[in-house]
């Protein structure tokens, strides 16, 4: 048995020896909320049409789920669609319209008024999964987006107590 360390795997093109994953990408913008000046996930997956299809498909499912729909503004469905779409667009490198119109996202604070239990998280993820599957993204893009959605949904859980509405 040799005590010599194994040689580091070839990191691939453009990566320093010993580094196996690329560093995180930054979105450089023209000003605080300006347009991106680098290629982004948003542009790679098709921009607004992709995010609009994702969000509209998600809400198509939510309105049919009484265990989740009661948490949404039935009198302002289009507003909810626009807010989620703008948030996701901005997060993934699209226009900074969400922050321009609504300020910092503060997701946990904005969802604190709702009784978000694990069942609601699972319902939310199920509907988002249905919509995401309809997009036909590349495996890399689909995995990145799904990973974010799972983490975001988990972060919104704020209680384990059921509510009378549920």
């Amino acid at each position: 048995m040799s005590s010599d360390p194994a040689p580091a795997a070839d990191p691939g093109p453009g990566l320093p020896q010993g580094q196996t994953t690329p560093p995180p990408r930054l979105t450089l913008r023209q000003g605080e909320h300006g347009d991106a000046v680098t290629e982004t996930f948003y542009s790679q997956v098709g921009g607004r049409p992709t995010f609009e299809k994702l969000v509209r498909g998600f809400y198509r499912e939510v309105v049919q789920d009484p265990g989740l729909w009661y948490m949404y503004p039935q009198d302002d469905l289009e507003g909810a669609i626009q807010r989620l779409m703008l948030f996701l667009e901005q997060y993934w490198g699209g226009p900074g319209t969400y922050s321009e119109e609504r300020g910092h996202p503060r997701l946990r604070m904005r969802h604190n008024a709702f009784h978000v239990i694990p069942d609601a998280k699972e319902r939310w993820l199920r509907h988002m999964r249905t919509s995401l599957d309809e997009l036909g993204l590349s495996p890399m893009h689909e995995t990145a987006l799904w990973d974010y959605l799972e983490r975001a949904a988990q972060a919104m859980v704020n209680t384990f107590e059921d509510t009378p509405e549920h």
Side-chain angles (χ1 to χ4, degrees):
M1 182 184 295
S2 171
S3 62
D4 293 338
D10 178 17
L15 294 177
Q17 186 67 24
Q19 184 174 346
T20 58
T21 58
R25 293 188 58 152
L26 298 175
T27 299
L28 301 176
R29 295 185 179 277
Q30 297 173 2
E32 184 178 0
H33 304 293
D35 292 337
V37 295
T38 57
E39 186 177 26
T40 63
F41 181 96
Y42 175 78
S43 65
Q44 290 172 2
V45 299
R48 174 162 282 239
T50 299
F51 285 92
E52 183 163 13
K53 184 175 179 182
L54 175 69
V55 172
R56 289 191 182 279
F58 166 74
Y59 275 105
R60 177 194 67 230
E61 300 295 315
V62 168
V63 299
Q64 298 175 45
D65 183 346
L68 195 58
W69 179 231
Y70 75 91
M71 295 171 69
Y72 288 87
Q74 284 88 28
D75 60 337
D76 188 24
L77 178 60
E78 188 58 32
I81 289 169
Q82 292 304 311
R83 288 186 294 275
L84 179 56
M85 186 171 55
L86 291 174
F87 169 77
L88 290 172
E89 285 182 323
Q90 178 174 301
Y91 181 87
W92 291 102
T97 310
Y98 182 92
S99 288
E100 289 171 7
E101 292 180 0
R102 299 182 51 84
H104 189 282
R106 295 182 191 83
L107 289 183
R108 284 196 48 91
M109 182 197 79
R110 291 182 194 273
H111 289 81
N112 249 357
F114 304 101
H115 211 81
V116 184
I117 60 174
D119 179 66
K121 174 198 79 166
E122 293 302 323
R123 289 169 180 270
W124 190 93
L125 283 170
R126 183 172 49 247
H127 302 316
M128 195 56 83
R129 178 82 251 176
T130 297
S131 186
L132 177 58
D133 287 346
E134 293 171 358
L135 296 179
L137 298 177
S138 74
M140 179 186 76
H141 290 109
E142 181 272 327
T143 298
L145 183 52
W146 182 245
D147 179 62
Y148 169 76
L149 294 169
E150 283 185 311
R151 287 182 288 112
Q154 181 61 46
M156 296 305 108
V157 173
N158 58 21
T159 188
F160 292 93
E161 298 175 17
D162 217 349
T163 63
E165 298 95 356
H166 188 258

